[in-house]
Amino acid sequence: MVNPEDSASAPEDPLRLVSGAWQEVLGIDEAPLDTGFFDAGGNSMLLVMLSDELSDLTGRELEVAELFRHDTVRAQARLLDPSYEPAAPAPAASPEGRGRLLGSARRGRRDDAAGQAAAR
């Protein structure tokens, strides 16, 4: 369990606080910032435990439903501190790169369809 006294001398970065709580509850070394709690290995019982852990760390009673609606580390950090602006996630692929990816996927489907038709 993360010790709340460790953060008493200086305000804790909400992202680090939430990430540490996820690591504790999920038993992982590094919490993914933009992956949903359930996708990261959580379940409903662990979500209740996360709510308790964050409530203990912040002194604020957090509803499980709030954490369910805000299901990533980044979203929960903003829930704890609405003024918090975490670093932006990795940039999305450029439209040009996306077109190449989609084009190759479409070509693959056409190749598969042609192969299946030939096999009939």
Side-chain angles (χ1 to χ4, degrees):
M1 176 185 266
V2 178
N3 186 352
E5 294 175 11
D6 292 344
S7 60
S9 58
E12 179 83 35
D13 172 13
L15 193 68
R16 288 182 60 184
L17 185 116
V18 173
S19 181
W22 276 46
Q23 290 169 1
E24 180 71 27
V25 169
L26 295 174
I28 56 177
D29 293 330
E30 188 172 331
L33 301 180
D34 298 306
T35 299
F37 184 76
F38 292 95
D39 292 332
N43 58 43
S44 56
M45 183 57 95
L46 292 173
L47 188 63
V48 171
M49 292 172 63
L50 178 65
S51 175
D52 290 345
E53 180 78 9
L54 289 172
S55 294
D56 289 346
L57 291 171
T58 63
R60 174 181 166 197
E61 200 60 38
L62 292 167
E63 297 293 326
V64 173
E66 288 179 296
L67 298 180
F68 186 79
R69 282 190 303 272
H70 301 85
D71 71 335
T72 67
V73 168
R74 284 188 205 272
Q76 290 174 2
R78 281 193 294 275
L79 177 65
L80 293 177
D81 182 358
S83 67
Y84 179 68
E85 286 298 322
S94 70
E96 179 181 285
R98 184 174 182 266
R100 281 195 306 262
L101 178 63
L102 289 174
S104 65
R106 288 181 186 125
R107 281 191 302 279
R109 283 195 301 246
R110 280 195 305 258
D111 293 344
D112 288 345
Q116 288 175 358
R120 290 184 201 164

